[in-house]
Amino acid sequence: MRSQPLFRYGRRTLVLAAVVFAGLNVVAAFHAWRFTHFTTEAGTHTDNPEQLTPGQKLWVLLTGIENPKPVNRQRPAFPYATLHLHSPNGRLECWYGPLAHPRGTVALFHGYTSSKGKLLTEAAHFRRLGYSILLTDFAGNGGSAGNVCTVGHHEAADVATVVRWLQRRGGPVFVYANSMGAVATLRAEAELGVRPTANVLECPYGSMLETAQSRFRSMHVPSFPMANLLVFWGGIENDFWAFDLDATRYAAHVTTPTLLLWGEADPRVTRAETDAIFAALAGSKRRQDFARSGHEPYWRRHRALWEQTIRNFLPRTTNLQ
């Protein structure tokens, strides 16, 4: 007789567990969609997790992030032309600032929820060093077509499109990319066969799972199982296996000379992730860390060191070709 109550209790527990698991998947799928699909509505992007109040964090957990398509609010002060290149992801909008007798061309790629207009300080510095520049909005961002962002996976095809277009024009081609753009660059070289002259990569994250986990930690919420479900649904909704989006694995196949930059106060990319990527890089490599800098442009706090590091790296890599 006692077995029947135990059976009913066990069945209720299983039903409850199934309902909870289904609910978690629905929430994760919703968040993944909001995270990887920009809206066309006017507004501002939700602040970074470390900037939110406890009440705002709870609201974001319940409703998802506000994620309007990034726009270019600044234009270059130097002469440039607007170009459109065709990537497998759609039409890319680029700003091309050539010099008469350049030492090469630097292709600049932005991070998540950003746009090419955020890299104008970097572009102007490369021009002063004697390099032509090409700034690109990834598909879904800025002036480029679409509204989807896969945080580095599909964007690798955009990197490949730009680098190959520049290489057909002749001369050394360098990549300067930060965060998501840096991960996209590593995948473009590891899996799509791209080989620029050299890379300058700022704060690439270790893997999609690690960056999802770091965002939950920033919210002071346990990362398991929601970070895993978020990555799973983010890949399913965008037609790729997101657990394979792994910069450390890509780095092991990258032989391009690479300068890796990282801020020691970065709340989203850890030292362990950075150490693993740097150790895995298969080609010649250098590294520069920036004290007190977070997930931000390093010239803001350390302009002289940032400029000197890049100035010293590029001539050496040019001589390697």
Side-chain angles (χ1 to χ4, degrees):
M1 296 295 293
R2 294 180 58 188
S3 62
Q4 290 183 347
L6 288 175
F7 175 76
R8 286 196 296 270
Y9 175 77
R11 186 171 61 182
R12 291 193 191 113
T13 301
L14 288 175
V15 170
L16 178 60
V19 170
V20 170
F21 183 70
L24 290 175
N25 274 274
V26 170
V27 171
F30 170 72
H31 277 265
W33 185 268
R34 294 289 292 268
F35 195 79
T36 58
H37 290 73
F38 298 121
T39 66
T40 57
E41 301 170 2
T44 57
H45 186 271
T46 300
D47 287 337
N48 294 326
E50 57 272 12
Q51 298 172 311
L52 299 176
T53 66
Q56 290 171 326
K57 291 177 181 178
L58 178 61
W59 181 252
V60 169
L61 288 171
L62 293 174
T63 65
I65 60 171
E66 296 293 330
N67 207 11
K69 183 174 180 175
V71 297
N72 291 295
R73 302 188 183 280
Q74 294 178 290
R75 299 279 170 172
F78 48 79
Y80 73 99
T82 299
L83 304 178
H84 294 99
L85 303 179
H86 292 277
S87 161
N89 300 316
R91 192 179 76 161
L92 307 178
E93 184 181 271
C94 309
W95 291 336
Y96 185 39
L99 297 177
H101 302 287
R103 303 171 66 182
T105 302
V106 179
L108 295 95
F109 298 102
H110 60 81
Y112 177 66
T113 65
S114 188
S115 64
K116 60 184 182 295
K118 296 289 185 69
L119 294 173
L120 293 178
T121 297
E122 294 86 340
H125 179 64
F126 286 118
R127 282 175 57 86
R128 288 193 296 270
L129 293 178
Y131 296 90
S132 297
I133 61 91
L134 185 67
L135 295 137
T136 301
D137 283 324
F138 282 121
N141 297 258
S144 293
N147 73 325
V148 174
C149 176
T150 61
V151 204
H153 187 274
H154 293 354
E155 290 76 14
D158 299 344
V159 172
T161 296
V162 169
V163 171
R164 287 170 177 154
W165 183 83
L166 288 171
Q167 288 175 330
R168 288 194 294 270
R169 299 176 67 84
V173 177
F174 304 89
V175 169
Y176 181 91
N178 61 48
S179 194
M180 176 187 80
V183 175
T185 298
L186 290 170
R187 180 173 181 260
E189 296 181 27
E191 297 191 343
L192 305 183
V194 175
R195 179 69 192 275
T197 303
N199 300 318
V200 179
L201 304 181
E202 291 188 342
C203 55
Y205 60 81
S207 69
M208 189 69 257
L209 179 59
E210 286 174 305
T211 199
Q213 290 170 335
S214 75
R215 286 185 172 267
F216 278 93
R217 286 194 297 269
S218 297
M219 301 280 280
H220 301 290
V221 175
S223 63
F224 183 83
M226 286 303 294
N228 301 70
L229 292 175
L230 187 69
V231 172
F232 172 78
W233 284 109
I236 294 299
E237 292 167 352
N238 294 286
D239 196 27
F240 73 104
W241 185 245
F243 291 100
D244 283 345
L245 184 52
D246 188 330
T248 306
R249 182 172 61 83
Y250 300 148
H253 302 281
V254 172
T255 59
T256 304
T258 298
L259 170 63
L260 183 63
L261 309 178
W262 176 68
E264 294 179 355
D266 195 325
R268 279 175 259 168
V269 177
T270 66
R271 178 178 292 278
E273 290 173 84
T274 307
D275 289 347
I277 292 170
F278 186 73
L281 286 166
S284 63
K285 53 193 172 184
R286 294 181 63 191
R287 173 174 170 171
Q288 178 64 57
D289 296 346
F290 295 86
R292 304 184 309 282
S293 285
H295 205 74
E296 61 184 332
Y298 303 129
W299 53 261
R300 287 181 179 169
R301 296 177 186 268
H302 303 280
R303 184 179 287 268
L305 176 59
W306 177 82
E307 291 182 349
Q308 179 183 13
T309 300
I310 289 177
R311 186 170 59 248
N312 291 343
F313 176 71
L314 290 181
R316 292 181 58 184
T317 56
T318 301
N319 294 336
L320 290 174
Q321 301 305 306

mmCIF file of all heavy atoms in Angstrom, residues 185-217:
data_model
loop_
_atom_site.group_PDB
_atom_site.id
_atom_site.type_symbol
_atom_site.label_atom_id
_atom_site.label_comp_id
_atom_site.label_asym_id
_atom_site.label_seq_id
_atom_site.Cartn_x
_atom_site.Cartn_y
_atom_site.Cartn_z
ATOM 1 N N THR A 185 38.075 36.974 -36.176
ATOM 2 C CA THR A 185 39.339 36.927 -36.917
ATOM 3 C C THR A 185 40.032 35.584 -36.723
ATOM 4 O O THR A 185 40.518 34.972 -37.682
ATOM 5 C CB THR A 185 40.251 38.070 -36.456
ATOM 6 O OG1 THR A 185 39.621 39.325 -36.754
ATOM 7 C CG2 THR A 185 41.606 38.001 -37.155
ATOM 8 N N LEU A 186 40.085 35.110 -35.480
ATOM 9 C CA LEU A 186 40.727 33.819 -35.217
ATOM 10 C C LEU A 186 40.006 32.692 -35.955
ATOM 11 O O LEU A 186 40.648 31.803 -36.519
ATOM 12 C CB LEU A 186 40.751 33.545 -33.717
ATOM 13 C CG LEU A 186 41.687 34.432 -32.890
ATOM 14 C CD1 LEU A 186 41.458 34.237 -31.401
ATOM 15 C CD2 LEU A 186 43.153 34.146 -33.244
ATOM 16 N N ARG A 187 38.678 32.726 -35.981
ATOM 17 C CA ARG A 187 37.948 31.678 -36.716
ATOM 18 C C ARG A 187 38.177 31.811 -38.218
ATOM 19 O O ARG A 187 38.328 30.799 -38.915
ATOM 20 C CB ARG A 187 36.453 31.747 -36.404
ATOM 21 C CG ARG A 187 35.706 30.668 -37.174
ATOM 22 C CD ARG A 187 34.243 30.511 -36.831
ATOM 23 N NE ARG A 187 33.723 29.424 -37.649
ATOM 24 C CZ ARG A 187 33.030 29.577 -38.771
ATOM 25 N NH1 ARG A 187 32.710 30.795 -39.191
ATOM 26 N NH2 ARG A 187 32.634 28.532 -39.478
ATOM 27 N N ALA A 188 38.205 33.029 -38.734
ATOM 28 C CA ALA A 188 38.437 33.223 -40.168
ATOM 29 C C ALA A 188 39.766 32.626 -40.593
ATOM 30 O O ALA A 188 39.886 32.046 -41.678
ATOM 31 C CB ALA A 188 38.390 34.715 -40.502
ATOM 32 N N GLU A 189 40.771 32.741 -39.735
ATOM 33 C CA GLU A 189 42.092 32.211 -40.070
ATOM 34 C C GLU A 189 42.173 30.706 -39.831
ATOM 35 O O GLU A 189 42.790 29.978 -40.607
ATOM 36 C CB GLU A 189 43.158 32.962 -39.270
ATOM 37 C CG GLU A 189 43.207 34.443 -39.640
ATOM 38 C CD GLU A 189 44.257 35.223 -38.883
ATOM 39 O OE1 GLU A 189 45.272 34.614 -38.463
ATOM 40 O OE2 GLU A 189 44.081 36.442 -38.704
ATOM 41 N N ALA A 190 41.527 30.236 -38.769
ATOM 42 C CA ALA A 190 41.617 28.813 -38.425
ATOM 43 C C ALA A 190 40.751 27.943 -39.320
ATOM 44 O O ALA A 190 41.149 26.826 -39.684
ATOM 45 C CB ALA A 190 41.218 28.607 -36.965
ATOM 46 N N GLU A 191 39.559 28.435 -39.708
ATOM 47 C CA GLU A 191 38.601 27.571 -40.408
ATOM 48 C C GLU A 191 38.256 28.031 -41.824
ATOM 49 O O GLU A 191 37.748 27.234 -42.617
ATOM 50 C CB GLU A 191 37.312 27.461 -39.588
ATOM 51 C CG GLU A 191 37.535 26.801 -38.237
ATOM 52 C CD GLU A 191 36.255 26.429 -37.501
ATOM 53 O OE1 GLU A 191 35.182 26.962 -37.878
ATOM 54 O OE2 GLU A 191 36.320 25.627 -36.561
ATOM 55 N N LEU A 192 38.522 29.292 -42.146
ATOM 56 C CA LEU A 192 38.177 29.791 -43.474
ATOM 57 C C LEU A 192 39.399 30.080 -44.332
ATOM 58 O O LEU A 192 39.268 30.585 -45.448
ATOM 59 C CB LEU A 192 37.304 31.056 -43.352
ATOM 60 C CG LEU A 192 36.022 30.909 -42.515
ATOM 61 C CD1 LEU A 192 35.222 32.191 -42.538
ATOM 62 C CD2 LEU A 192 35.184 29.732 -43.002
ATOM 63 N N GLY A 193 40.593 29.800 -43.821
ATOM 64 C CA GLY A 193 41.806 29.879 -44.624
ATOM 65 C C GLY A 193 42.337 31.269 -44.886
ATOM 66 O O GLY A 193 43.149 31.463 -45.795
ATOM 67 N N VAL A 194 41.929 32.256 -44.083
ATOM 68 C CA VAL A 194 42.406 33.627 -44.272
ATOM 69 C C VAL A 194 43.798 33.765 -43.659
ATOM 70 O O VAL A 194 44.076 33.209 -42.596
ATOM 71 C CB VAL A 194 41.430 34.627 -43.618
ATOM 72 C CG1 VAL A 194 41.965 36.044 -43.698
ATOM 73 C CG2 VAL A 194 40.077 34.530 -44.295
ATOM 74 N N ARG A 195 44.689 34.527 -44.305
ATOM 75 C CA ARG A 195 46.032 34.735 -43.755
ATOM 76 C C ARG A 195 46.480 36.180 -44.013
ATOM 77 O O ARG A 195 47.083 36.482 -45.029
ATOM 78 C CB ARG A 195 47.033 33.752 -44.385
ATOM 79 C CG ARG A 195 48.470 33.936 -43.869
ATOM 80 C CD ARG A 195 48.619 33.515 -42.415
ATOM 81 N NE ARG A 195 49.885 33.953 -41.848
ATOM 82 C CZ ARG A 195 51.039 33.289 -41.951
ATOM 83 N NH1 ARG A 195 51.090 32.154 -42.635
ATOM 84 N NH2 ARG A 195 52.133 33.753 -41.399
ATOM 85 N N PRO A 196 46.163 37.090 -43.096
ATOM 86 C CA PRO A 196 46.679 38.449 -43.222
ATOM 87 C C PRO A 196 48.161 38.508 -42.877
ATOM 88 O O PRO A 196 48.758 37.502 -42.467
ATOM 89 C CB PRO A 196 45.839 39.232 -42.209
ATOM 90 C CG PRO A 196 45.468 38.214 -41.185
ATOM 91 C CD PRO A 196 45.334 36.904 -41.911
ATOM 92 N N THR A 197 48.742 39.674 -43.026
ATOM 93 C CA THR A 197 50.157 39.848 -42.700
ATOM 94 C C THR A 197 50.393 39.709 -41.207
ATOM 95 O O THR A 197 51.372 39.093 -40.775
ATOM 96 C CB THR A 197 50.635 41.223 -43.187
ATOM 97 O OG1 THR A 197 50.391 41.332 -44.591
ATOM 98 C CG2 THR A 197 52.129 41.411 -42.929
ATOM 99 N N ALA A 198 49.516 40.280 -40.401
ATOM 100 C CA ALA A 198 49.639 40.206 -38.942
ATOM 101 C C ALA A 198 48.311 40.594 -38.309
ATOM 102 O O ALA A 198 47.456 41.216 -38.951
ATOM 103 C CB ALA A 198 50.759 41.121 -38.438
ATOM 104 N N ASN A 199 48.158 40.217 -37.046
ATOM 105 C CA ASN A 199 46.956 40.544 -36.267
ATOM 106 C C ASN A 199 47.321 41.368 -35.044
ATOM 107 O O ASN A 199 48.337 41.098 -34.382
ATOM 108 C CB ASN A 199 46.278 39.274 -35.733
ATOM 109 C CG ASN A 199 45.836 38.314 -36.805
ATOM 110 O OD1 ASN A 199 45.295 38.729 -37.823
ATOM 111 N ND2 ASN A 199 46.042 37.025 -36.560
ATOM 112 N N VAL A 200 46.469 42.336 -34.723
ATOM 113 C CA VAL A 200 46.467 42.967 -33.406
ATOM 114 C C VAL A 200 45.082 42.694 -32.828
ATOM 115 O O VAL A 200 44.087 43.222 -33.316
ATOM 116 C CB VAL A 200 46.738 44.480 -33.481
ATOM 117 C CG1 VAL A 200 46.707 45.087 -32.074
ATOM 118 C CG2 VAL A 200 48.074 44.759 -34.155
ATOM 119 N N LEU A 201 45.016 41.853 -31.798
ATOM 120 C CA LEU A 201 43.741 41.383 -31.264
ATOM 121 C C LEU A 201 43.580 41.839 -29.820
ATOM 122 O O LEU A 201 44.430 41.576 -28.968
ATOM 123 C CB LEU A 201 43.665 39.856 -31.330
ATOM 124 C CG LEU A 201 43.880 39.227 -32.712
ATOM 125 C CD1 LEU A 201 43.740 37.716 -32.624
ATOM 126 C CD2 LEU A 201 42.906 39.807 -33.735
ATOM 127 N N GLU A 202 42.466 42.527 -29.553
ATOM 128 C CA GLU A 202 42.165 43.002 -28.217
ATOM 129 C C GLU A 202 41.113 42.108 -27.559
ATOM 130 O O GLU A 202 40.055 41.866 -28.127
ATOM 131 C CB GLU A 202 41.627 44.435 -28.263
ATOM 132 C CG GLU A 202 42.654 45.467 -28.678
ATOM 133 C CD GLU A 202 42.117 46.888 -28.521
ATOM 134 O OE1 GLU A 202 40.889 47.071 -28.422
ATOM 135 O OE2 GLU A 202 42.940 47.807 -28.513
ATOM 136 N N CYS A 203 41.398 41.649 -26.400
ATOM 137 C CA CYS A 203 40.492 40.943 -25.469
ATOM 138 C C CYS A 203 39.527 39.953 -26.125
ATOM 139 O O CYS A 203 38.312 40.046 -25.914
ATOM 140 C CB CYS A 203 39.709 41.938 -24.631
ATOM 141 S SG CYS A 203 38.759 43.195 -25.525
ATOM 142 N N PRO A 204 40.018 38.994 -26.928
ATOM 143 C CA PRO A 204 39.112 37.935 -27.386
ATOM 144 C C PRO A 204 38.695 37.056 -26.206
ATOM 145 O O PRO A 204 39.508 36.752 -25.332
ATOM 146 C CB PRO A 204 39.969 37.152 -28.382
ATOM 147 C CG PRO A 204 41.380 37.382 -27.930
ATOM 148 C CD PRO A 204 41.404 38.785 -27.379
ATOM 149 N N TYR A 205 37.434 36.647 -26.177
ATOM 150 C CA TYR A 205 36.985 35.752 -25.115
ATOM 151 C C TYR A 205 37.386 34.315 -25.446
ATOM 152 O O TYR A 205 37.614 33.958 -26.597
ATOM 153 C CB TYR A 205 35.477 35.872 -24.898
ATOM 154 C CG TYR A 205 34.633 35.537 -26.107
ATOM 155 C CD1 TYR A 205 34.350 34.223 -26.450
ATOM 156 C CD2 TYR A 205 34.104 36.540 -26.923
ATOM 157 C CE1 TYR A 205 33.575 33.907 -27.551
ATOM 158 C CE2 TYR A 205 33.329 36.240 -28.027
ATOM 159 C CZ TYR A 205 33.070 34.922 -28.337
ATOM 160 O OH TYR A 205 32.310 34.607 -29.436
ATOM 161 N N GLY A 206 37.466 33.453 -24.438
ATOM 162 C CA GLY A 206 37.946 32.096 -24.638
ATOM 163 C C GLY A 206 36.997 31.239 -25.446
ATOM 164 O O GLY A 206 37.402 30.552 -26.379
ATOM 165 N N SER A 207 35.710 31.241 -25.095
ATOM 166 C CA SER A 207 34.703 30.465 -25.819
ATOM 167 C C SER A 207 33.347 31.106 -25.588
ATOM 168 O O SER A 207 33.174 31.924 -24.679
ATOM 169 C CB SER A 207 34.678 29.006 -25.344
ATOM 170 O OG SER A 207 34.172 28.940 -24.017
ATOM 171 N N MET A 208 32.378 30.731 -26.413
ATOM 172 C CA MET A 208 31.041 31.270 -26.251
ATOM 173 C C MET A 208 30.465 30.887 -24.889
ATOM 174 O O MET A 208 29.794 31.679 -24.235
ATOM 175 C CB MET A 208 30.140 30.741 -27.368
ATOM 176 C CG MET A 208 28.769 31.388 -27.449
ATOM 177 S SD MET A 208 28.828 33.111 -27.976
ATOM 178 C CE MET A 208 28.580 33.989 -26.454
ATOM 179 N N LEU A 209 30.733 29.658 -24.449
ATOM 180 C CA LEU A 209 30.234 29.236 -23.143
ATOM 181 C C LEU A 209 30.860 30.071 -22.036
ATOM 182 O O LEU A 209 30.168 30.501 -21.105
ATOM 183 C CB LEU A 209 30.517 27.749 -22.927
ATOM 184 C CG LEU A 209 30.057 27.184 -21.577
ATOM 185 C CD1 LEU A 209 28.548 27.373 -21.397
ATOM 186 C CD2 LEU A 209 30.420 25.707 -21.468
ATOM 187 N N GLU A 210 32.164 30.318 -22.129
ATOM 188 C CA GLU A 210 32.832 31.095 -21.085
ATOM 189 C C GLU A 210 32.295 32.524 -21.017
ATOM 190 O O GLU A 210 32.120 33.080 -19.938
ATOM 191 C CB GLU A 210 34.339 31.107 -21.325
ATOM 192 C CG GLU A 210 35.018 29.790 -20.983
ATOM 193 C CD GLU A 210 36.479 29.777 -21.376
ATOM 194 O OE1 GLU A 210 36.804 30.037 -22.561
ATOM 195 O OE2 GLU A 210 37.323 29.488 -20.502
ATOM 196 N N THR A 211 32.039 33.127 -22.172
ATOM 197 C CA THR A 211 31.548 34.503 -22.135
ATOM 198 C C THR A 211 30.107 34.553 -21.622
ATOM 199 O O THR A 211 29.718 35.492 -20.929
ATOM 200 C CB THR A 211 31.673 35.170 -23.525
ATOM 201 O OG1 THR A 211 31.604 36.585 -23.362
ATOM 202 C CG2 THR A 211 30.612 34.714 -24.499
ATOM 203 N N ALA A 212 29.306 33.523 -21.923
ATOM 204 C CA ALA A 212 27.958 33.463 -21.355
ATOM 205 C C ALA A 212 28.025 33.293 -19.840
ATOM 206 O O ALA A 212 27.277 33.933 -19.081
ATOM 207 C CB ALA A 212 27.172 32.323 -21.989
ATOM 208 N N GLN A 213 28.914 32.432 -19.377
ATOM 209 C CA GLN A 213 29.071 32.229 -17.939
ATOM 210 C C GLN A 213 29.504 33.508 -17.238
ATOM 211 O O GLN A 213 29.025 33.816 -16.144
ATOM 212 C CB GLN A 213 30.091 31.113 -17.691
ATOM 213 C CG GLN A 213 29.597 29.727 -18.078
ATOM 214 C CD GLN A 213 30.696 28.689 -18.057
ATOM 215 O OE1 GLN A 213 31.885 28.997 -18.214
ATOM 216 N NE2 GLN A 213 30.322 27.422 -17.880
ATOM 217 N N SER A 214 30.394 34.278 -17.874
ATOM 218 C CA SER A 214 30.878 35.502 -17.244
ATOM 219 C C SER A 214 29.757 36.523 -17.093
ATOM 220 O O SER A 214 29.718 37.275 -16.107
ATOM 221 C CB SER A 214 32.032 36.105 -18.055
ATOM 222 O OG SER A 214 31.582 36.726 -19.236
ATOM 223 N N ARG A 215 28.827 36.563 -18.048
ATOM 224 C CA ARG A 215 27.711 37.496 -17.941
ATOM 225 C C ARG A 215 26.788 37.119 -16.780
ATOM 226 O O ARG A 215 26.272 37.991 -16.076
ATOM 227 C CB ARG A 215 26.939 37.558 -19.252
ATOM 228 C CG ARG A 215 27.692 38.330 -20.323
ATOM 229 C CD ARG A 215 26.906 38.518 -21.593
ATOM 230 N NE ARG A 215 27.617 39.414 -22.494
ATOM 231 C CZ ARG A 215 27.440 40.725 -22.554
ATOM 232 N NH1 ARG A 215 26.577 41.300 -21.746
ATOM 233 N NH2 ARG A 215 28.125 41.470 -23.401
ATOM 234 N N PHE A 216 26.578 35.826 -16.562
ATOM 235 C CA PHE A 216 25.757 35.419 -15.414
ATOM 236 C C PHE A 216 26.481 35.732 -14.105
ATOM 237 O O PHE A 216 25.848 36.154 -13.135
ATOM 238 C CB PHE A 216 25.417 33.935 -15.511
ATOM 239 C CG PHE A 216 24.251 33.653 -16.414
ATOM 240 C CD1 PHE A 216 24.440 33.350 -17.757
ATOM 241 C CD2 PHE A 216 22.951 33.707 -15.931
ATOM 242 C CE1 PHE A 216 23.365 33.102 -18.601
ATOM 243 C CE2 PHE A 216 21.867 33.463 -16.757
ATOM 244 C CZ PHE A 216 22.074 33.163 -18.110
ATOM 245 N N ARG A 217 27.796 35.524 -14.087
ATOM 246 C CA ARG A 217 28.548 35.866 -12.883
ATOM 247 C C ARG A 217 28.453 37.360 -12.592
ATOM 248 O O ARG A 217 28.357 37.776 -11.433
ATOM 249 C CB ARG A 217 30.009 35.440 -13.028
ATOM 250 C CG ARG A 217 30.230 33.926 -12.924
ATOM 251 C CD ARG A 217 31.701 33.607 -12.720
ATOM 252 N NE ARG A 217 32.514 34.032 -13.859
ATOM 253 C CZ ARG A 217 32.799 33.257 -14.908
ATOM 254 N NH1 ARG A 217 32.318 32.016 -14.959
ATOM 255 N NH2 ARG A 217 33.545 33.704 -15.893
#
